[in-house]
Amino acid sequence: MASDHGGYALKTFLKEKLEKAGYTIIDFGTDSEESVDYPDMIHPLASAINKGELERGIIFCGSGNGAQMTANKYPNVRAGLCWDVEQAKLTRQHNDANVLSLPGRFVTFEEGWEIADTFLNTPFEGGRHLARVNKINQLI
Ligand code: RB5
């Protein structure tokens, strides 16, 4: 997990819930509501996912956009910005997202939990979606 100040509260809530559910969490910060720059926390998490050191990531900022944009600079990262359960389901089923970006200022703690739970427990559908995912890094 990694967040800026805009996602800190939701990160703290979800970290506790996920640890209770049995997940091992590595927390890349931030550690308070003090204003910080989201790339400083998101880059280390995205780099670890990119190298295959971590399986899944959950990132946060106020809108979810800056965190997602930073993470998606890494070729092996597919970060989906999700504000409801249906988005989380689709970004797993169709995009094989390995990083979930949550907008800390736009979802409640309970909504955040439902979205994260869906993201972590929905399989990729493969098939035609695999061919599409494989084209994402084919820049022209
Ligand atoms: C911080 O105020 C805010 O800009 C940040 O959390 C995020 O929403 C950026 O995309």
Side-chain angles (χ1 to χ4, degrees):
M1 291 183 155
S3 78
D4 72 353
H5 52 290
Y8 171 71
L10 183 58
K11 173 169 73 71
T12 303
F13 175 79
L14 290 185
K15 183 180 171 184
E16 194 183 321
K17 290 266 288 187
L18 288 168
E19 281 175 338
K20 274 189 190 146
Y23 289 95
T24 302
I25 309 285
I26 297 172
D27 188 346
F28 290 87
T30 187
D31 302 320
S32 76
E33 304 274 359
E34 193 182 326
S35 182
V36 289
D37 300 333
Y38 55 83
D40 293 341
M41 278 62 61
I42 305 303
H43 276 301
L45 178 147
S47 176
I49 298 275
N50 191 52
K51 291 180 201 155
E53 295 168 359
L54 294 174
E55 199 179 336
R56 295 282 181 90
I58 305 181
I59 57 178
F60 312 74
C61 64
S63 65
N65 272 314
Q68 184 206 30
M69 288 176 189
T70 306
N72 278 325
K73 290 293 177 186
Y74 293 78
N76 299 322
V77 169
R78 289 176 305 282
L81 170 57
C82 299
W83 55 91
D84 65 22
V85 164
E86 192 59 22
Q87 292 287 339
K89 198 187 291 178
L90 285 171
T91 204
R92 283 292 310 133
Q93 290 176 333
H94 291 191
N95 314 125
D96 197 19
N98 51 10
V99 172
L100 167 65
S101 184
L102 280 168
R105 293 182 178 144
F106 293 88
V107 297
T108 65
F109 284 2
E110 207 43 51
E111 287 168 343
W113 165 248
E114 296 293 332
I115 293 167
D117 188 43
T118 301
F119 170 76
L120 291 169
N121 291 296
T122 302
F124 178 46
E125 283 181 1
R128 69 186 189 281
H129 299 297
L130 178 60
R132 293 165 185 169
V133 166
N134 285 338
K135 289 186 178 182
I136 291 175
N137 285 346
Q138 291 175 12
L139 307 187
I140 59 169

